PDB file of all heavy atoms in Angstrom:
ATOM      1  N   LEU K1235       5.915 -10.574 -17.420  1.00 98.00           N
ATOM      2  CA  LEU K1235       6.533 -11.694 -18.129  1.00 98.00           C
ATOM      3  C   LEU K1235       7.362 -11.219 -19.310  1.00 98.00           C
ATOM      4  O   LEU K1235       8.425 -11.774 -19.602  1.00 98.00           O
ATOM      5  CB  LEU K1235       5.456 -12.670 -18.597  1.00 98.00           C
ATOM      6  CG  LEU K1235       5.954 -13.982 -19.217  1.00 98.00           C
ATOM      7  CD1 LEU K1235       6.825 -14.748 -18.234  1.00 98.00           C
ATOM      8  CD2 LEU K1235       4.774 -14.834 -19.674  1.00 98.00           C
ATOM      9  N   ALA K1236       6.880 -10.172 -20.007  1.00 98.00           N
ATOM     10  CA  ALA K1236       7.630  -9.628 -21.137  1.00 98.00           C
ATOM     11  C   ALA K1236       8.985  -9.080 -20.703  1.00 98.00           C
ATOM     12  O   ALA K1236       9.952  -9.095 -21.474  1.00 98.00           O
ATOM     13  CB  ALA K1236       6.825  -8.532 -21.835  1.00 98.00           C
ATOM     14  N   VAL K1237       9.061  -8.592 -19.461  1.00 97.00           N
ATOM     15  CA  VAL K1237      10.325  -8.091 -18.926  1.00 97.00           C
ATOM     16  C   VAL K1237      11.137  -9.214 -18.291  1.00 97.00           C
ATOM     17  O   VAL K1237      12.340  -9.343 -18.514  1.00 97.00           O
ATOM     18  CB  VAL K1237      10.053  -6.972 -17.891  1.00 97.00           C
ATOM     19  CG1 VAL K1237      11.338  -6.577 -17.177  1.00 97.00           C
ATOM     20  CG2 VAL K1237       9.444  -5.754 -18.576  1.00 97.00           C
ATOM     21  N   ALA K1238      10.464 -10.073 -17.503  1.00 98.00           N
ATOM     22  CA  ALA K1238      11.176 -11.079 -16.721  1.00 98.00           C
ATOM     23  C   ALA K1238      11.830 -12.140 -17.594  1.00 98.00           C
ATOM     24  O   ALA K1238      12.987 -12.534 -17.337  1.00 98.00           O
ATOM     25  CB  ALA K1238      10.213 -11.739 -15.733  1.00 98.00           C
ATOM     26  N   ALA K1239      11.133 -12.629 -18.603  1.00 98.00           N
ATOM     27  CA  ALA K1239      11.656 -13.758 -19.384  1.00 98.00           C
ATOM     28  C   ALA K1239      12.997 -13.442 -20.053  1.00 98.00           C
ATOM     29  O   ALA K1239      13.961 -14.204 -19.899  1.00 98.00           O
ATOM     30  CB  ALA K1239      10.609 -14.208 -20.412  1.00 98.00           C
ATOM     31  N   PRO K1240      13.119 -12.336 -20.804  1.00 97.00           N
ATOM     32  CA  PRO K1240      14.437 -12.040 -21.387  1.00 97.00           C
ATOM     33  C   PRO K1240      15.498 -11.708 -20.351  1.00 97.00           C
ATOM     34  O   PRO K1240      16.681 -12.013 -20.549  1.00 97.00           O
ATOM     35  CB  PRO K1240      14.168 -10.846 -22.314  1.00 97.00           C
ATOM     36  CG  PRO K1240      12.887 -10.249 -21.846  1.00 97.00           C
ATOM     37  CD  PRO K1240      12.093 -11.373 -21.277  1.00 97.00           C
ATOM     38  N   VAL K1241      15.102 -11.093 -19.232  1.00 98.00           N
ATOM     39  CA  VAL K1241      16.075 -10.781 -18.177  1.00 98.00           C
ATOM     40  C   VAL K1241      16.567 -12.066 -17.514  1.00 98.00           C
ATOM     41  O   VAL K1241      17.746 -12.185 -17.164  1.00 98.00           O
ATOM     42  CB  VAL K1241      15.487  -9.799 -17.154  1.00 98.00           C
ATOM     43  CG1 VAL K1241      16.419  -9.622 -15.961  1.00 98.00           C
ATOM     44  CG2 VAL K1241      15.245  -8.446 -17.813  1.00 98.00           C
ATOM     45  N   VAL K1242      15.696 -13.036 -17.324  1.00 98.00           N
ATOM     46  CA  VAL K1242      16.123 -14.337 -16.806  1.00 98.00           C
ATOM     47  C   VAL K1242      17.147 -14.964 -17.745  1.00 98.00           C
ATOM     48  O   VAL K1242      18.149 -15.547 -17.292  1.00 98.00           O
ATOM     49  CB  VAL K1242      14.905 -15.266 -16.614  1.00 98.00           C
ATOM     50  CG1 VAL K1242      15.353 -16.708 -16.420  1.00 98.00           C
ATOM     51  CG2 VAL K1242      14.073 -14.821 -15.424  1.00 98.00           C
ATOM     52  N   ALA K1243      16.905 -14.850 -19.056  1.00 97.00           N
ATOM     53  CA  ALA K1243      17.874 -15.378 -20.022  1.00 97.00           C
ATOM     54  C   ALA K1243      19.219 -14.686 -19.873  1.00 97.00           C
ATOM     55  O   ALA K1243      20.279 -15.338 -19.926  1.00 97.00           O
ATOM     56  CB  ALA K1243      17.331 -15.192 -21.443  1.00 97.00           C
ATOM     57  N   TYR K1244      19.197 -13.381 -19.676  1.00 97.00           N
ATOM     58  CA  TYR K1244      20.445 -12.632 -19.480  1.00 97.00           C
ATOM     59  C   TYR K1244      21.130 -13.066 -18.188  1.00 97.00           C
ATOM     60  O   TYR K1244      22.344 -13.326 -18.177  1.00 97.00           O
ATOM     61  CB  TYR K1244      20.136 -11.143 -19.436  1.00 97.00           C
ATOM     62  CG  TYR K1244      21.326 -10.275 -19.070  1.00 97.00           C
ATOM     63  CD1 TYR K1244      22.256  -9.892 -20.029  1.00 97.00           C
ATOM     64  CD2 TYR K1244      21.508  -9.828 -17.751  1.00 97.00           C
ATOM     65  CE1 TYR K1244      23.345  -9.107 -19.692  1.00 97.00           C
ATOM     66  CE2 TYR K1244      22.592  -9.034 -17.418  1.00 97.00           C
ATOM     67  CZ  TYR K1244      23.509  -8.678 -18.386  1.00 97.00           C
ATOM     68  OH  TYR K1244      24.596  -7.897 -18.048  1.00 97.00           O
ATOM     69  N   THR K1245      20.371 -13.175 -17.110  1.00 97.00           N
ATOM     70  CA  THR K1245      20.953 -13.541 -15.824  1.00 97.00           C
ATOM     71  C   THR K1245      21.540 -14.947 -15.866  1.00 97.00           C
ATOM     72  O   THR K1245      22.575 -15.212 -15.237  1.00 97.00           O
ATOM     73  CB  THR K1245      19.888 -13.458 -14.713  1.00 97.00           C
ATOM     74  OG1 THR K1245      19.279 -12.162 -14.736  1.00 97.00           O
ATOM     75  CG2 THR K1245      20.508 -13.685 -13.343  1.00 97.00           C
ATOM     76  N   ALA K1246      20.894 -15.829 -16.602  1.00 97.00           N
ATOM     77  CA  ALA K1246      21.400 -17.194 -16.722  1.00 97.00           C
ATOM     78  C   ALA K1246      22.685 -17.268 -17.552  1.00 97.00           C
ATOM     79  O   ALA K1246      23.347 -18.306 -17.575  1.00 97.00           O
ATOM     80  CB  ALA K1246      20.332 -18.093 -17.352  1.00 97.00           C
TER      81      ALA K1246
END
Side-chain angles (χ1 to χ4, degrees):
L1235 187 59
V1237 172
V1241 172
V1242 166
Y1244 173 83
T1245 306

